[in-house]
Amino acid sequence: MKHKTISDIAREAGVSKATVSRVLTHPELVKPATQERVKRVMEKHEYVPNHIAQSLAGNPTKMIGVVIDELSNFFFIEVAEGIGNILSPLGYSMLLVSSRWIEEEETRLVKSLISSQVDGVLLAPVAKESRALQLLKASQTPCVIINQIPSDTSLSFVAGDDLEGGRIAAALVNEQEAEQVIVITGFAHQSVEDRVAGFKEVLDSRFLYKRYRFVETQADGAALVTTLIRTEELEQKKTILFVTNDNVAIGIVNELVEQGISIPEQVMVIGYDNIRATSFCRIPLTTVSQSTIHIGEQAAKTLLQLINKERTEALHNLIQPVLIRRHSL
Amino acid sequence: MKHKTISDIAREAGVSKATVSRVLTHPELVKPATQERVKRVMEKHEYVPNHIAQSLAGNPTKMIGVVIDELSNFFFIEVAEGIGNILSPLGYSMLLVSSRWIEEEETRLVKSLISSQVDGVLLAPVAKESRALQLLKASQTPCVIINQIPSDTSLSFVAGDDLEGGRIAAALVNEQEAEQVIVITGFAHQSVEDRVAGFKEVLDSRFLYKRYRFVETQADGAALVTTLIRTEELEQKKTILFVTNDNVAIGIVNELVEQGISIPEQVMVIGYDNIRATSFCRIPLTTVSQSTIHIGEQAAKTLLQLINKERTEALHNLIQPVLIRRHSL
DNA sequence: CTGTTAGCGCCTTCAC
DNA sequence: GTGAAGGCGCTAACAG
């Protein structure tokens, strides 16, 4: 037989299932002597109660669903790490899944999480209005949104102030001398558009400005460098690159160095996120920090409050970005 | 009321629970007309079947437990990524948990996973003989071990050949001129000991050899540099550093550069793992590669075979390491 | 203090 | 093709 059940233990210890259940969850209600006896039997068989059954019977699952957009992206990994920091010590496990930036996938995953009766979910949505959010609401699953400001104000979120972050980047650019400014963005996402909007708002009009889209990975970034050298004459014109996420920026910087272009003398680069790798990459990156791990921790804490009903109104946490100057600009 | 149940749907569609259940799992057994009717009701209420209940009733949970030692370690993150690559498309979710190198924690987590009735677990054990492995065996949960060779040969594992990796590193060192060789290791772990053993076995006797232990994080690595400069006279003696994991090596290299020590002219560094960051860090790292993502993928695939009973005997996969030469040596 | 009795939501025989 | 009944493992009243 596969698993010993509560009945097996009960029979062998000569008590009822209820008593066994009690030593599991309310030991104080059981006489020490019998408690001892039951425990001995449990240990003898290495009995582990069936969590699934416990949950069906009404207990919380102690599982939190975490939906990120991309597993191989340091930004999300660090967010997940922050989440783990908070959740793990409290006995929660996280069901970590990736939507791979696909909205249907996100919906499917959220359905599956709801179906798994997770106690709450942390979601980094692919798009602004998502079916996933409706489902979450309909199922009354506590949740907090990460890295996006949902239009439904009843929802909690923890996100960076992307508009402001863009402005900060532009302000720094305005202090420089350069012949052109190029903005490089990846997946179309609200946060990215806001960063660009803030950037344009403040950017000095004396700069030639151009944008490259759909540069989504480190590899994409590296590949883009060759193109830029040709089409934008990187080697002739002093250039500033604003890359809206560090993950890609790192790929770009590395390739620039490989191609022998000097940073920041010939090309300056400013990134966004301040993931950990920016401090030890080829040329330590100047970037707009949104304290990635902190986002995860904050979101997890809020979710916990929601779950424990210590909080009823939504938390709208717009984290203020900060400029981190390193060597790339 | 919180969730609609199968009974609600049944009632509203004017059929029995059994029929609704069939629509869910064996649609071909239901007349198209009624099927249509039931489906309409389900959609109307955004009905999502309770996965917990389905599992209790005997279905697989489609959840895989993944136990790693450390969340903020690129090596494990990449392994997890490899696992996700394989599992996600097949509709599995992963329950990702970190033991933080603590054995009791590992045991607790594995218990919890078993208790959650995961279909299988992927485990990177903290120590050689672990209680967690016993439990896994006792519960007959399919599992494959990562990054360790269990003494119980009935267990499947995917691990790098650490002894050989150490030899490879030493062979490279032997080709160099240097006044001293320093080995830097982190958490006491079998794999690390093997790497060091292989290294010592092949290392030329002309080298002065010394070992620093318990250097466990990037920050530890950075901090160590100051010490080394003082006690080992890094600036006077040409030195080779063998760091048994890239995560730490990256921290060390970065700090060496910050301190103005030239790599590889004054200090040479060789790492281990070939995590992705080694290619874009301060000085791209020469390292012993064990194809991290591949380990995860391989382990996940094997686990799936075990779960589906396509494989009965254990898989012993000792991955051969390869030297990757970059700029640090 | 401990046993008995109902479910939790779903799936699976077994009849009709 | 479809319904009724029992059970998965556990918890929560309700009695004694």
Side-chain angles (χ1 to χ4, degrees), chain A residues 68 70-74 77 96 98 100 217-218 247, chain B residues 66 68 73-89 94 96 122 146 275-276 292-298 300:
Chain A
I68 61 178
E70 199 180 357
L71 213 48
S72 55
N73 181 319
F74 291 130
I77 289 301
L96 183 66
S98 155
R100 290 171 294 151
T217 62
Q218 282 175 20
N247 205 45
Chain B
V66 179
I68 61 178
N73 181 318
F74 291 129
F75 173 73
F76 292 111
I77 290 300
E78 290 184 18
V79 170
E81 190 184 331
I83 295 170
N85 287 347
I86 301 296
L87 257 30
S88 238
M94 60 176 172
L96 183 66
L122 294 163
I146 291 175
I275 60 177
R276 224 178 311 133
T292 320
I293 291 189
H294 181 246
I295 290 181
E297 292 182 347
Q298 198 59 42

Side-chain angles (χ1 to χ4, degrees), chain A residues 46 54 57 64 81 93 101 133 149 183 186 267 278 286 292 311:
Chain A
E46 307 209 307
Q54 297 184 114
I64 302 294
E81 190 184 331
S93 359
W101 298 101
L133 284 180
I149 304 175
V183 173
V267 173
T278 50
T286 290
T292 320
R311 159 187 292 283

Side-chain angles (χ1 to χ4, degrees), chain B residues 49-63:
Chain B
N50 183 328
H51 188 213
I52 293 291
Q54 298 185 114
S55 301
L56 223 212
N59 282 16
T61 58
K62 287 287 216 171
M63 296 194 301

Side-chain angles (χ1 to χ4, degrees), chain A residues 60-297:
Chain A
T61 57
K62 287 287 218 170
M63 296 195 301
I64 302 294
V66 179
V67 186
I68 61 178
D69 292 313
E70 199 180 357
L71 213 48
S72 55
N73 181 319
F74 291 130
F75 172 74
F76 292 110
I77 289 301
E78 290 184 18
V79 170
E81 190 184 331
I83 295 171
N85 288 347
I86 302 296
L87 257 30
S88 236
L90 270 48
Y92 284 88
S93 359
M94 60 178 171
L95 220 29
L96 183 66
V97 293
S98 155
S99 66
R100 290 171 294 151
W101 298 101
I102 304 166
E103 221 175 320
E104 296 74 48
E105 189 64 2
E106 174 181 294
T107 308
R108 193 182 70 74
L109 293 170
V110 166
K111 262 189 196 157
S112 146
L113 290 174
I114 294 174
S115 161
S116 295
Q117 310 288 108
V118 292
D119 295 342
V121 355
L122 294 163
L123 170 65
V126 174
K128 191 96 183 172
E129 305 301 334
S130 79
R131 179 128 177 59
L133 284 180
Q134 292 175 26
L135 290 169
L136 247 14
K137 248 201 138 167
S139 71
Q140 303 188 45
T141 308
C143 74
V144 2
I145 306 304
I146 291 175
N147 203 29
Q148 170 120 227
I149 304 175
S151 49
D152 181 342
T153 57
S154 71
L155 259 22
S156 291
F157 67 82
V158 179
D161 187 340
D162 294 301
L163 224 40
E164 182 60 18
R167 293 191 196 108
I168 290 175
L172 176 62
V173 169
N174 286 345
E175 297 170 10
Q176 318 301 318
E177 293 299 326
E179 296 169 68
Q180 60 181 348
V181 171
I182 299 175
V183 173
I184 298 167
T185 62
F187 289 95
H189 188 272
Q190 188 57 46
S191 65
V192 172
E193 295 311 319
D194 287 350
R195 288 169 198 183
V196 174
F199 187 79
K200 284 169 89 165
E201 176 191 325
V202 168
L203 186 69
D204 210 81
S205 60
R206 73 176 196 276
F207 287 113
L208 239 63
Y209 162 99
K210 208 162 186 180
R211 175 168 174 184
Y212 281 76
R213 294 164 195 259
F214 310 119
V215 185
E216 304 172 344
T217 62
Q218 282 175 20
D220 288 352
L224 179 67
V225 168
T226 313
T227 310
L228 288 180
I229 289 178
R230 188 162 31 78
T231 60
E232 308 301 337
E233 301 173 345
L234 242 45
E235 285 164 319
Q236 282 73 51
K237 300 184 188 166
K238 198 164 154 94
T239 306
I240 299 178
L241 264 30
F242 175 40
V243 188
T244 59
N245 90 64
D246 282 343
N247 205 45
V248 170
I250 284 174
I252 290 178
V253 165
N254 198 51
E255 185 64 18
L256 284 170
V257 174
E258 290 289 336
Q259 303 256 356
I261 294 181
S262 62
I263 301 174
E265 292 74 15
Q266 178 60 27
V267 173
M268 299 182 245
V269 181
I270 176 165
Y272 205 110
D273 282 342
N274 194 31
I275 60 176
R276 221 177 313 133
T278 50
S279 65
F280 59 73
C281 64
R282 204 61 175 272
I283 306 284
L285 211 60
T286 290
T287 189
V288 179
S289 168
Q290 49 171 349
S291 187
T292 320
I293 291 189
H294 182 246
I295 291 181
E297 293 182 346

Side-chain angles (χ1 to χ4, degrees), chain B residues 5-6 17 21 47 49-50 54:
Chain B
T5 76
I6 203 172
K17 298 194 308 181
S21 173
Y47 168 71
N50 183 328
Q54 298 185 114

